Amino acid sequence: MGAQAAGPLVVGVDSSTQSTKALVVDAVTGAVIARGQAPHTVSGGAGKESDPRQWWQALGEALAQCGDAARQASAVSVGGQQHGLVTLDAAGAPVRPAMLWNDVRSAPQSERLIAERGGAAAWADRVGSVPGPAFTVAKWAWLKANEPASAAATAAVRLPHDYLTERLTGEAVTDRGDASGTGWWASSTESYDAEILAHIGLDPALLPRVALPGEAAGTVHAGHLPLPKGALVAAGTGDNMAAALGLGLRPGRPVLSLGTSGTVYAVSTHRPADPAGTVAGFADARGDWLPLACTLNCTLAVDRVAALLGRDRESVEDGGEVVMLPFLDGERTPNLPGASGLVHGLRHDTTGGQLLQAAYDGAVFTLLQALDRVLDADAAPDAPLLLIGGGARGRAWRETVRRLSGRPVVVPEARELVALGAAAQAAGLLLEEDPAAVARRWETARGAEYEARPRDEAAWERLTATLADGAPLLRR
């Protein structure tokens, strides 16, 4: 148990790819009173899958680690990994393991759906996003094509955070933020798209209702979790939307998140629609928008390169002209699902440290390229970058971002921003306040500030040229 509470307690949950974290937070001050964490497993091989029942078990374990504080909570909210396809039978049990966001087997279905429904520009205009392989709509199409018996046995379709919210409350509820990552919720109408659902053979009756911002999903009815029965349960949201809430983001403030995946995003008052497909036109959890770009290869890819070189991840060296595009798992931004890693410019005098630095450069470059497309009229060109995620603690990551962005960087002290954002959503529901304003009162974005450095134009030009010239190899 941490600090003493001044106000009512709320629980914020981060159900991510690798683990579930739970924070018990003072709704008034933002002080973290208790925390818990439990791991999940993800299948290897071509598919990336997890049994949703693991998430529920991990939630129970994480809450149990929070002790009595969790049993005193007045409200709870779940932030969860986006896009995952959870298929449930009539009894509410999983038909099969959930297909996760980073499962790219649905690339052929993604391409087919884009072509069949009028092309990328038509999807962007209608849905807000061009549905890449990560999107749930492509995963459902894959399931229909490859496991028709599983699709036929499905009585309910949920996203990961919806699954946990439903087990907490008994209510089938999602929110506009996470729903905007499915490909069947249209940002143009802010509702499920009947034509797209008919096209993919998905009955809208199988989907949860979309709660309005600030609306409760229900109350805790599950008796065996260490939460009080009757506690309010917020609608929850996707992990990126929760992190935006956790930072209390105002429109135009750019965020670069370095985790298993890399993401760049900013809250916007303008509905995004990028026909190139680089920017996902997500909704946020409050009523605004969250244009976002996501890369598959971030901290894990760089750590793998460090391991191959037998070096500590911080053991980078300046100099040399070697370029690496560390697309070890295929890539989502740019859309190269079949790509592998590419190294160009290797010389006799290239050092291991320079090669490792090149991996950092390649991972950061693709994120910053996407950031240029994410930011709109709300954003100042010299606005400091908020650097979050596990990688933000690493000096090599931070210095690479400074060198390639040319922007000032702020690294917030708060670490568990998805769980904090979920807690802010729960606190907003309990106190009848704007959750982003709650997070700003908690000062979650406060942290170390680093001034801008001149952008490394030579490295930027080498990376740009290698990505363009290597396209035929990367598309094989």
Side-chain angles (χ1 to χ4, degrees):
M1 200 120 161
Q4 198 66 31
L9 300 182
V10 294
V11 172
V13 176
D14 172 10
S15 181
S16 70
T17 317
Q18 308 286 343
S19 69
T20 291
K21 298 173 188 168
L23 298 182
V24 182
V25 179
D26 183 322
V28 173
T29 66
V32 176
I33 306 300
R35 49 170 49 87
Q37 181 171 356
H40 319 146
T41 58
V42 178
S43 67
K48 298 287 188 286
E49 299 181 343
S50 288
D51 184 339
R53 288 169 293 204
Q54 279 192 78
W55 309 333
W56 180 248
Q57 183 179 349
L59 175 59
E61 290 173 16
L63 287 169
Q65 290 170 28
C66 295
D68 287 341
R71 296 183 183 89
Q72 297 167 26
S74 300
V76 60
S77 176
V78 178
Q81 55 176 311
Q82 286 187 248
H83 302 307
L85 175 66
V86 180
T87 50
L88 305 176
D89 64 19
V95 171
R96 67 180 311 287
M99 294 178 70
L100 305 186
W101 61 274
N102 53 351
D103 190 325
V104 295
R105 287 176 294 176
S106 48
Q109 285 72 31
S110 162
E111 291 177 10
R112 181 173 58 75
L113 285 170
I114 293 166
E116 288 172 352
R117 300 296 305 170
W123 275 92
D125 184 57
R126 183 172 186 149
V127 172
S129 302
V130 182
F135 278 66
T136 328
V137 68
K139 298 189 188 309
W140 176 258
W142 182 92
L143 194 70
K144 293 272 285 188
N146 292 276
E147 297 181 14
S150 294
T154 298
V157 170
R158 302 288 183 263
L159 295 165
H161 109 258
D162 308 340
Y163 171 78
L164 292 171
T165 300
E166 187 167 4
R167 289 200 65 172
L168 280 169
T169 63
E171 303 289 337
V173 179
T174 190
D175 88 301
R176 71 194 287 273
D178 215 2
S180 68
T182 59
W184 55 61
W185 184 91
S187 66
S188 57
T189 60
E190 297 214 30
S191 62
Y192 290 134
D193 191 303
E195 288 183 28
I196 290 171
L197 290 169
H199 184 76
I200 61 169
L202 180 56
D203 182 348
L206 274 57
L207 299 176
R209 77 175 180 89
V210 183
L212 295 171
E215 187 183 354
T219 59
V220 173
H221 86 135
H224 58 284
L225 284 185
L227 287 170
K229 271 193 171 183
L232 280 173
V233 181
T237 194
D239 52 4
N240 291 298
M241 296 79 194
L245 281 185
L247 288 164
L249 280 191
R250 298 184 191 274
R253 186 75 192 269
V255 177
L256 196 154
S257 176
L258 302 166
T260 306
S261 63
T263 52
V264 285
Y265 55 85
V267 170
S268 176
T269 57
H270 313 284
R271 184 178 81 91
D274 176 18
T278 299
V279 178
F282 294 145
D284 77 351
R286 291 178 56 256
D288 286 326
W289 303 96
L290 196 73
L292 177 146
C294 175
T295 64
L296 293 182
N297 297 277
C298 195
T299 57
L300 289 185
V302 171
D303 284 354
R304 181 63 185 139
V305 173
L308 286 169
L309 294 168
R311 299 181 77 89
D312 180 88
R313 65 169 67 114
E314 293 289 333
S315 299
V316 294
E317 293 170 15
D318 295 336
E321 296 189 351
V322 65
V323 175
M324 185 185 300
L325 299 173
F327 301 160
L328 307 190
D329 287 320
E331 190 43 84
R332 169 173 168 171
T333 306
N335 186 22
L336 298 163
S340 55
L342 187 151
V343 179
H344 176 67
L346 203 58
R347 302 280 185 189
H348 273 290
D349 60 356
T350 303
T351 68
Q354 289 169 346
L355 195 56
L356 180 56
Q357 180 62 64
Y360 278 98
D361 284 7
V364 168
F365 166 73
T366 50
L367 280 167
L368 291 175
Q369 262 202 329
L371 181 66
D372 291 340
R373 301 189 73 110
V374 163
L375 296 177
D376 60 18
D378 288 333
D382 57 350
L385 268 176
L386 282 170
L387 195 62
I388 66 170
R393 307 286 150 191
R395 184 179 182 278
W397 279 111
R398 185 184 70 236
E399 293 308 312
T400 304
V401 170
R402 290 178 70 202
R403 184 170 53 81
L404 290 180
S405 72
R407 286 177 180 264
V409 167
V410 176
V411 181
E413 287 169 23
R415 298 198 177 200
E416 294 115 333
L417 284 163
V418 174
L420 273 176
Q425 190 185 47
L429 178 67
L430 185 66
L431 304 174
E432 299 184 342
E433 286 187 57
D434 171 3
V438 169
R440 288 195 290 272
R441 188 173 69 233
W442 295 351
E443 296 188 320
T444 50
R446 187 184 64 233
E449 300 178 14
Y450 302 89
E451 62 186 24
R453 291 176 51 179
R455 191 166 86 161
D456 186 343
E457 298 293 350
W460 190 272
E461 287 169 16
R462 285 195 299 271
L463 284 153
T464 304
T466 303
L467 182 58
D469 295 345
L473 284 172
L474 294 166
R475 294 189 187 283
R476 274 187 189 170

